[in-house]
Amino acid sequence: MKRQPPSGQEKSRFGVRDLLAESLAGVLQRPGRTVLTMLGTVLGVGAFVAVLGLTSTASGQISEHFNALVATEVVVKGADNPDTVTGDLAFPEDADGRAEQLRGVRRAGLVWPLPEKLTKSLRGSLLPGTRSVENLPVLAASAGFLPANRPTAWTGRLFDRGHEDRRDRVAVLGVGAARQLGIYSIAGMPAIFVDGVPFAVIGVLQDVDRNTELLSAVVLPSRTVELLWGKPEATNSVIMRIDTDMGAAATVAGQIAVALRPDDPMLFAVVPPPDPRQLRDSVDSDLDAFFLVLAGICLLIGTISITNTTSVAVLERLSEIGLRRSLGARPAHIGGQFLTEAAIVGTIGGLIGTALAVLAVVSAAAAQRWTPLLDPWLVLPAPLLGTVIGVLAGIYPAMRAASVQPVSALQR
């Protein structure tokens, strides 16, 4: 029985298998050049996945840090009311205690700045020749204010309600203020002088979780300040800061004015924490846009690197191209082989780059004790991104190889 000639579909299948076989042979026969070509894809795809993965991980940490600090703080200010002249008309004497009686409140305290005429005479010593320290804020605060900012003491301690009740002349310095005043230890019982009045330094703050301006400030007990220089000048200069449990800030913000002054809660302006979802989404959007551009630049650099390496490979294989053309290979066959080789190298490079990027993200997160966040819709298609890079980078070299004439190639 006479065999029928192969159909057009069978010829096409044979051609595809032939193309893949030739392309794999070209990739495997030159391992050094293949690795160099693949390196661009590995770096491009790896940088893309790693940058976006680290961005997601960092955004998660920002969200967590935001929730732990900003979302647990409530600020209460004296309302701008022309009928109230001094701060004591708004905040009661036991404001800290009233606030801390609310469920969900950890610590709360009042604070206001001292007048400039007093702070200009701030000194670390009264010895002759000692100059006043300028532009250093001096704050009057109740006992609950500093704990509400979650401080870390460098040395010494914070003043408490006992110091306030006794009107003790004590002070707590931020580390920046201590350095400006020349105080590096409280072992010798150092003192500072405000308007000529001595205050014993009992503690120095090394860090605070919120309101970092405290690190360059001098904090004095509020009742001591009232005894020496009187009440604050205006209601709106006094601020209460409240540290709450997670999830309690909104409830506390709705109750605090009534808790402080049930007779006239309109004396206060309460500033609740912003909606964490809106701020988190805004931060995530800004970070994603910035790092997406950076990742795109990495991909572009990788694509250009592959194009250059593949173009050099065309020059190295001119004799091979000329021989195949003289044996009947068409320009489309030559171009298709180079394009397929670029796609294979790009796919393998994408796989390797993705694996290295995932390892880098997990390692970086583990080193910082973070939770790594990797979007599956980013990681899973990433190797295909290597294929796309390989194809795009191989278009020009493939066209160049397809345009080679057999006679001129064999003459080289």
Side-chain angles (χ1 to χ4, degrees):
M1 183 177 179
K2 187 175 180 182
R3 184 181 179 184
Q4 296 293 331
S7 63
Q9 185 177 3
E10 292 173 342
K11 290 181 179 179
S12 176
R13 289 177 180 174
F14 178 80
V16 170
R17 289 197 299 267
D18 223 13
L19 177 62
L20 290 176
E22 290 291 337
S23 300
L24 285 173
V27 170
L28 297 176
Q29 287 175 0
R30 301 169 180 84
R33 180 174 55 80
T34 299
V35 170
L36 291 177
T37 307
M38 191 183 301
L39 187 60
T41 310
V42 171
L43 295 177
V45 175
F48 182 83
V49 175
V51 165
L52 294 185
L54 290 173
T55 301
S56 299
T57 302
S59 296
Q61 285 301 121
I62 290 173
S63 300
E64 181 179 348
H65 192 65
F66 167 80
N67 289 334
L69 296 178
V70 180
T72 58
E73 183 183 35
V74 176
V75 179
V76 184
K77 301 179 180 180
D80 294 328
N81 191 333
D83 296 331
T84 58
V85 180
T86 58
D88 63 314
L89 295 179
F91 290 97
E93 291 289 334
D94 59 344
D96 291 17
R98 293 192 182 193
E100 292 174 3
Q101 287 179 358
L102 294 177
R103 177 171 294 182
V105 174
R106 299 176 61 181
R107 294 304 299 267
L110 300 175
V111 65
W112 68 87
L114 267 65
E116 186 177 353
K117 61 183 179 180
L118 298 177
T119 60
K120 277 188 175 181
S121 60
L122 178 65
R123 295 174 179 268
S125 172
L126 288 181
L127 295 176
T130 305
R131 296 182 178 180
S132 299
V133 178
E134 298 180 357
N135 301 322
L136 199 61
V138 182
L139 306 175
S142 60
F145 172 73
L146 287 176
N149 291 277
R150 303 184 184 182
T152 301
W154 177 47
T155 184
R157 53 166 296 181
L158 309 179
F159 56 79
D160 54 29
R161 287 175 182 168
H163 292 100
E164 279 212 283
D165 292 340
R166 295 188 301 268
R167 275 64 173 179
D168 290 341
R169 297 181 182 182
V170 295
V172 174
L173 312 180
V175 64
R179 289 171 180 167
Q180 291 190 53
L181 292 167
I183 297 174
Y184 301 95
S185 173
I186 64 170
M189 302 182 66
I192 61 171
F193 295 83
V194 181
D195 196 28
V197 179
F199 288 82
V201 178
I202 61 172
V204 178
L205 301 179
Q206 181 179 10
D207 197 9
V208 287
D209 285 352
R210 54 168 65 104
N211 301 316
T212 55
E213 63 271 14
L214 291 174
L215 298 179
S216 59
V218 176
V219 185
L220 309 177
S222 58
R223 293 186 181 179
T224 305
V225 171
E226 290 177 358
L227 177 65
L228 293 170
W229 297 294
K231 302 285 187 178
E233 295 180 349
T235 296
N236 55 13
S237 68
V238 184
I239 296 176
M240 169 175 275
R241 294 193 178 273
I242 305 173
D243 182 27
T244 72
D245 294 331
M246 185 68 69
T251 303
V252 171
Q255 299 174 348
I256 184 62
V258 176
L260 291 174
R261 289 292 296 269
D263 59 323
D264 193 357
M266 299 304 294
L267 289 173
F268 304 103
V270 181
V271 183
D275 186 353
R277 292 173 296 181
Q278 294 181 358
L279 183 58
R280 181 170 59 246
D281 292 343
S282 176
V283 172
D284 290 348
S285 177
D286 292 342
L287 284 177
D288 289 345
F290 174 75
F291 285 110
L292 189 60
V293 172
L294 181 60
I297 294 174
C298 295
L299 287 178
L300 179 61
I301 294 174
T303 303
I304 295 174
S305 175
I306 297 172
T307 303
N308 291 335
T309 308
T310 309
S311 298
V312 173
V314 172
L315 298 178
E316 295 176 351
R317 298 169 65 181
L318 283 178
S319 58
E320 173 191 339
I321 296 172
L323 180 60
R324 292 194 61 198
R325 288 295 309 278
S326 65
L327 294 176
R330 298 178 180 179
H333 298 156
I334 302 298
Q337 178 182 343
F338 274 84
L339 198 60
T340 304
E341 288 182 12
I344 293 173
V345 172
T347 303
I348 298 174
L351 286 168
I352 297 175
T354 302
L356 293 177
V358 171
L359 180 62
V361 171
V362 173
S363 300
Q368 296 293 330
R369 297 183 179 180
W370 294 351
T371 301
L373 298 177
L374 287 167
D375 189 351
W377 296 107
L378 168 66
V379 177
L380 296 179
L384 297 180
L385 185 60
T387 306
V388 173
I389 292 176
V391 171
L392 293 177
I395 291 177
Y396 172 72
M399 293 175 59
R400 186 175 181 182
S403 64
V404 172
Q405 297 299 321
V407 176
S408 59
L410 292 174
Q411 287 177 348
R412 295 187 180 185

